[in-house]
Amino acid sequence: MTTISDLSRDLIGEILCKVPITCVGKVRCTCKRWNASTRHRIVGKAGARQFMGFLMMDYKVCSLRIDLNGILNDEEGSVVGPISIKSIDKLNKIEISKVFHCDGLLLCATKDNTSLLVWNPYLGQTKWIEPQKAYHRLDRYALGYDKNKKSYKILRFVDNDYLPTSLFEFEIYDMNSSLWRALDVTPDWDIEFNRPGLTVKGNTYFFAKQKIIFEEGADDVDGDVDDFLLSFDFTKERFGPRLLVPFHSYLHEDTVALSSVGEDKLAALYQCMDLNAMEIWVTTKIEPNTVSWSKLYFLAVNNMIPLIGASFFIDEEEKLAVVFTLDTLGHYKRACIIGEKEYFKQVHLGVVVVNSGDKDPYSFPVCSYMPSLVQINQG
């Protein structure tokens, strides 16, 4: 008699590619072979490939699957076919304003700025993290790990001199001890709160600019300042030196977004709002103290529609990028599929849902995901 463990690898892949990300943990209990299969990107018969990740949309965390084989062949404007976005029941009643990924764990910040949630979708484990004092709307966060102890940590910081009362806090949370500790940081740089960092190999990288010091009675300061990547090393618990980027952002309105490529590379998207030209670059090496970039850009488009609140991912084999963005009025969500030889297609994702009291720019970040057996310490 044929049993479930006798099924072919291709058939197992066909089944697994239809299982929601949040249910994969249950599937792994079926048998040892299925347990091994769910930890890899088995997505059906030979030649089939998928992008699997999460997307934050309308303050909800959604699972995201993209058929990389069919994405260049789907009909214009279709909301079905290669792109599948599904809400997550477990988090459906929670409004999320920020989401970050590291090593199979997601860090979610609630919209009301009262709590942080760490979640392993594969195992279904969660942990709520309360603040030492209070969280703030302008907080920046990052999730990474100490390579010596393999302990996961959360970086939280806010540095703002423009509010009626200035805010300056840098602290780190150790998920093993469940304690917050203050960090001694004297920044000579600025990281905009709506430009999130990206974690690669346990360390987080931010797009940053030289801090402008305004002195009373001084003339206006030229807005053209140095820009660079800035790392945070979770093992040493400190920010690293300025790292070169292969472009220069002149305007506050320019679009700069970061994305991971596999497990050890970083991609940077840059669009100049004056020209609407877009470039995507990929690192060949990245560490907290050094970075090198490919000699040529991954993709470049001379005349691209404005990419508002953009997040993206790339596929090196297909030589394409999928950018999640808003229309110029901020009313509609869309995915832009960009490929070689001026290939361009838009997929409409619906109307933007916002509340009248919202103060922050609308965005819907995307992050790739690989199943992880990392246990969340509940202590």
Side-chain angles (χ1 to χ4, degrees):
M1 182 179 68
T2 302
T3 66
I4 197 169
S5 60
D6 296 324
L7 298 179
S8 69
R9 184 179 185 276
D10 285 350
L11 183 54
I12 293 174
E14 291 288 353
I15 296 171
L16 293 179
C17 75
K18 300 182 186 303
V19 175
I21 299 174
T22 52
C23 296
V24 172
K26 298 177 182 178
V27 174
R28 71 188 180 91
C29 301
T30 306
C31 66
K32 291 182 178 179
R33 189 179 178 196
W34 283 49
N35 179 39
S37 297
T38 58
R39 298 196 62 214
H40 298 85
R41 292 192 181 190
I42 295 179
V43 291
K45 56 189 177 183
R49 294 182 304 110
Q50 287 187 346
F51 172 86
M52 183 171 68
F54 289 94
L55 176 72
M56 193 189 79
M57 191 162 63
D58 301 330
Y59 305 112
K60 301 296 180 183
V61 177
C62 303
S63 63
L64 172 68
R65 285 183 185 268
I66 300 181
D67 177 2
L68 296 174
N69 284 346
I71 197 168
L72 297 178
N73 302 316
D74 198 45
E75 296 181 2
E76 178 73 25
S78 174
V79 294
V80 295
I83 298 181
S84 173
I85 299 174
K86 296 182 179 180
S87 60
I88 297 172
D89 292 340
K90 189 180 185 70
L91 303 180
N92 201 36
K93 295 183 179 179
I94 306 170
E95 287 194 313
I96 302 296
S97 63
K98 303 179 183 77
V99 63
F100 311 90
H101 173 257
C102 171
D103 204 24
L105 300 182
L106 292 186
L107 172 64
C108 305
T110 59
K111 184 174 177 292
D112 62 7
N113 304 302
T114 61
S115 295
L116 296 178
L117 173 69
V118 177
W119 175 42
N120 184 329
Y122 182 65
L123 298 181
Q125 296 178 342
T126 59
K127 180 177 182 177
W128 288 97
I129 298 173
E130 301 302 317
Q132 184 173 20
K133 296 179 181 177
Y135 299 131
H136 191 274
R137 180 177 64 86
L138 299 180
D139 282 345
R140 289 79 148 178
Y141 297 101
L143 177 64
Y145 58 79
D146 184 323
K147 294 182 179 179
N148 293 334
K149 302 177 182 178
K150 194 63 176 185
S151 61
Y152 289 82
K153 300 177 181 180
I154 298 169
L155 171 69
R156 170 192 170 264
F157 64 97
V158 57
D159 179 10
N160 192 293
D161 294 326
Y162 306 110
L163 296 173
T165 302
S166 63
L167 289 171
F168 184 86
E169 294 178 2
F170 284 77
E171 57 184 5
I172 196 163
Y173 180 87
D174 190 316
M175 292 188 61
N176 284 350
S177 65
S178 299
L179 294 175
W180 287 99
R181 289 182 289 105
L183 295 177
D184 184 12
V185 180
T186 306
D188 59 355
W189 37 258
D190 274 326
I191 298 172
E192 296 183 16
F193 83 99
N194 60 339
R195 283 181 171 163
L198 180 82
T199 299
V200 177
K201 295 185 293 185
N203 301 308
T204 299
Y205 299 86
F206 300 92
F207 178 72
K209 287 178 173 273
Q210 171 69 39
K211 176 174 283 192
I212 300 175
I213 306 298
F214 294 95
E215 297 181 3
E216 188 175 352
D219 296 333
D220 292 340
V221 178
D222 186 356
D224 185 17
V225 296
D226 292 341
D227 50 15
F228 41 87
L229 279 185
L230 189 72
S231 68
F232 183 81
D233 187 326
F234 278 90
T235 303
K236 297 179 179 179
E237 296 188 353
R238 68 186 185 197
F239 289 92
R242 301 179 181 191
L243 304 176
L244 177 71
V245 290
F247 53 83
H248 179 50
S249 173
Y250 293 90
L251 303 174
H252 172 76
E253 294 80 10
D254 287 349
T255 296
V256 178
L258 305 178
S259 179
S260 59
V261 184
E263 297 181 355
D264 58 1
K265 290 192 286 187
L266 177 149
L269 179 152
Y270 168 64
Q271 183 183 42
C272 173
M273 278 303 166
D274 274 353
L275 304 175
N276 280 343
M278 184 209 74
E279 303 171 352
I280 296 177
W281 297 81
V282 179
T283 60
T284 55
K285 177 183 179 180
I286 186 162
E287 299 291 346
N289 297 317
T290 184
V291 65
S292 58
W293 299 86
S294 55
K295 293 183 179 179
L296 295 175
Y297 45 71
F298 174 77
L299 275 176
V301 180
N302 290 328
N303 189 18
M304 172 60 61
I305 64 172
L307 301 173
I308 311 298
S311 60
F312 75 106
F313 81 90
I314 68 170
D315 182 81
E316 290 185 291
E317 185 174 331
E318 292 285 352
K319 195 76 174 183
L320 65 82
V322 180
V323 183
F324 295 86
T325 182
L326 305 177
D327 71 300
T328 52
L329 297 177
H331 294 165
Y332 298 96
K333 300 165 290 193
R334 58 192 178 187
C336 298
I337 304 165
I338 307 164
E340 293 184 297
K341 299 179 181 179
E342 300 183 353
Y343 181 89
F344 178 79
K345 180 172 64 178
Q346 294 187 60
V347 177
H348 303 293
L349 302 178
V351 178
V352 170
V353 177
V354 296
N355 300 322
S356 58
D358 289 343
K359 298 180 180 179
D360 299 333
Y362 185 93
S363 64
F364 49 122
V366 61
C367 61
S368 61
Y369 180 76
M370 282 290 285
S372 169
L373 291 175
V374 172
Q375 299 281 335
I376 297 178
N377 188 344
Q378 299 294 331

